[in-house]
Amino acid sequence: AAAKFAHKVRSGALEQGFEGSRPLDMYQIPRMFGTTRVPLDRRDELRNDDSSGHCVVFCAGIPFVVPVLDPATGAVVAEADLQMQFDYIVVEAAALASSYDRTHSRGVGLFTTLERNEWAAVRRLLAQDPVNSDTLQKIDSALFAVCLDAQCDRRRTQSATSRAMLMECADNRWFDKSMAFVCGADGAAAVTFEHAWGDGAAVARFMTEMWADMTGTPPPPFCRPLESHGTLEVAACAPPAPLQWKLCEELRAKLATTATWHQRQCANVKLHTLAYQRYGKELAKAARVSPDAVVQLAFQLAHRRLHHQVASVYESCNMQFWKHGRTEAIRPVTAASTAFTAACL
């Protein structure tokens, strides 16, 4: 479904999006695929390859290339063939893990967690070797990343799953990629995306159409169902080969210290998910109250009860009604909201 949507975008067949009757600016969506945020000195650069047809699959910290789309015809790989490729990668990555560990070249994606100027310096050193340069090019140009977390705990809580998807398992990620599908052996899955190329509204459009295609449900009213333009035959092809890294002693040492640093960063973040069941948006609407206002006041009240002070709260505002609109900041703390939270203490 993701490959079919990518071809729909690239072939110019993507329908105009709307929110209600208002048209939305669509310029972000083509940058969703084949894009990587590349670190440079004191700045980053978005690099896009609009002719790629592969995804990069990370498993056990080892990257593999898997073809999913013929850019010329729009043919996509069959689901059964894709499953076969992924099954092979899970087995092959487990078999290769010890050899990659001996060369300290597993989990190079950890470098993408570094401060950007520091990562820029590491990437320059990494790219000096032609083997690494070729691997970086294949990762950068991939339509998207797929991260197979084969060793996850099947009994983990929702909070633990959220931590794994959001920040942990960084040795099996490439956070510079425009978008990644993260899949655990327990069946948990998530979509994460790098924020420089676009915003959540663009990803929501993609997810809506992909979900409709996967489940056989109708897409949004202004969209045609995703179409397959033939099947990309991969069953007869050679199995996916792992991409290679060659790390000098300096890079090996840096990878080890990066792993320790990232673990400390994760330990400094508290994350807990809560599924609130007592009421939802329909009750707020019935009372003629904005559901968003209820949530914003809950944030402010929770912070004030915890820290005994009023915080400067940020809420994003979708600006896609304007040309090249991204997001702007709403500051929802007002004299009225401050009085409300004071009354609830």
Side-chain angles (χ1 to χ4, degrees):
K4 286 192 284 187
F5 185 83
H7 180 70
K8 184 180 188 179
V9 171
R10 288 178 169 180
S11 64
L14 184 69
E15 303 87 354
Q16 174 65 51
F18 291 87
E19 186 170 309
S21 61
R22 302 178 68 182
L24 302 175
D25 184 87
M26 308 292 286
Y27 94 105
Q28 296 178 28
I29 294 180
R31 302 192 297 179
M32 188 183 303
F33 301 103
T35 297
T36 297
R37 178 176 175 172
V38 177
L40 303 173
D41 282 337
R42 293 176 293 176
R43 65 184 179 92
D44 285 354
E45 179 180 84
L46 286 176
R47 294 181 185 172
N48 176 265
D49 187 328
D50 60 5
S51 63
S52 60
H54 68 278
C55 70
V56 59
V57 179
F58 292 90
C59 188
I62 302 171
F64 296 77
V65 166
V66 175
V68 294
L69 170 70
D70 183 334
T73 66
V76 299
V77 64
E79 185 176 333
D81 287 342
L82 195 59
Q83 179 69 56
M84 180 181 65
Q85 300 276 312
F86 287 171
D87 287 343
Y88 175 87
I89 287 172
V90 170
V91 174
E92 184 70 2
L96 290 172
S98 59
S99 64
Y100 272 68
D101 284 341
R102 283 195 296 273
T103 58
H104 305 277
S105 58
R106 189 155 68 101
V108 173
L110 274 163
F111 285 141
T112 64
T113 69
L114 289 169
E115 186 273 331
R116 301 303 292 179
N117 287 324
E118 191 175 2
W119 168 215
V122 169
R123 181 171 164 130
R124 277 199 308 275
L125 180 59
L126 196 63
Q128 288 177 6
D129 190 288
V131 172
N132 299 334
S133 181
D134 182 65
T135 294
L136 287 169
Q137 190 277 329
K138 287 184 170 63
I139 293 174
D140 290 348
S141 62
L143 285 167
F144 46 78
V146 176
C147 305
L148 303 177
D149 292 347
Q151 305 302 320
C152 68
D153 185 356
R154 293 175 180 269
R155 299 166 296 176
R156 62 185 176 182
T157 64
Q158 184 64 48
S159 296
T161 298
S162 298
R163 286 187 66 89
M165 302 297 183
L166 190 63
M167 69 188 82
E168 295 176 346
C169 308
D171 58 343
N172 204 45
R173 304 284 186 271
W174 198 268
F175 289 116
D176 291 353
K177 278 307 295 176
S178 53
M179 188 164 51
F181 298 89
V182 184
C183 308
D186 58 355
V191 174
T192 63
F193 69 97
E194 195 282 318
H195 217 325
W197 66 266
D199 301 312
V203 178
R205 166 69 183 270
F206 162 64
M207 292 291 292
T208 300
E209 292 206 42
M210 185 175 68
W211 180 255
D213 184 76
M214 292 167 55
T215 59
T217 54
F222 51 81
C223 296
R224 295 183 299 274
L226 295 177
E227 298 178 356
S228 177
H229 298 270
T231 301
L232 179 62
E233 298 293 340
V234 298
C237 298
L243 297 176
Q244 302 296 321
W245 299 107
K246 288 181 67 175
L247 304 189
C248 62
E249 287 300 325
E250 181 180 353
L251 286 171
R252 292 179 182 184
K254 184 62 177 178
L255 188 60
T257 59
T258 301
T260 302
W261 175 83
H262 182 67
Q263 288 172 357
R264 288 200 304 267
Q265 294 294 102
C266 289
N268 197 38
V269 176
K270 292 182 179 180
L271 187 153
H272 180 74
T273 60
L274 172 66
Y276 189 75
Q277 304 291 353
R278 289 183 59 189
Y279 61 85
K281 65 179 181 181
E282 296 305 326
L283 181 64
K285 289 181 177 179
R288 302 180 66 81
V289 175
S290 163
D292 179 69
V294 173
V295 173
Q296 294 299 322
L297 285 171
F299 290 156
Q300 294 182 38
L301 178 57
H303 187 277
R304 194 164 184 179
R305 282 178 172 172
L306 283 169
H307 302 287
H308 311 292
Q309 62 183 15
V310 177
S312 178
V313 180
Y314 162 89
E315 180 182 9
S316 64
C317 172
N318 184 11
M319 300 293 286
Q320 279 190 286
F321 299 125
W322 287 269
K323 183 177 175 63
H324 291 183
R326 292 292 304 262
T327 60
E328 283 293 343
I330 299 173
R331 301 295 179 183
V333 176
T334 64
S337 70
T338 302
F340 174 85
T341 55
C344 293
L345 296 177

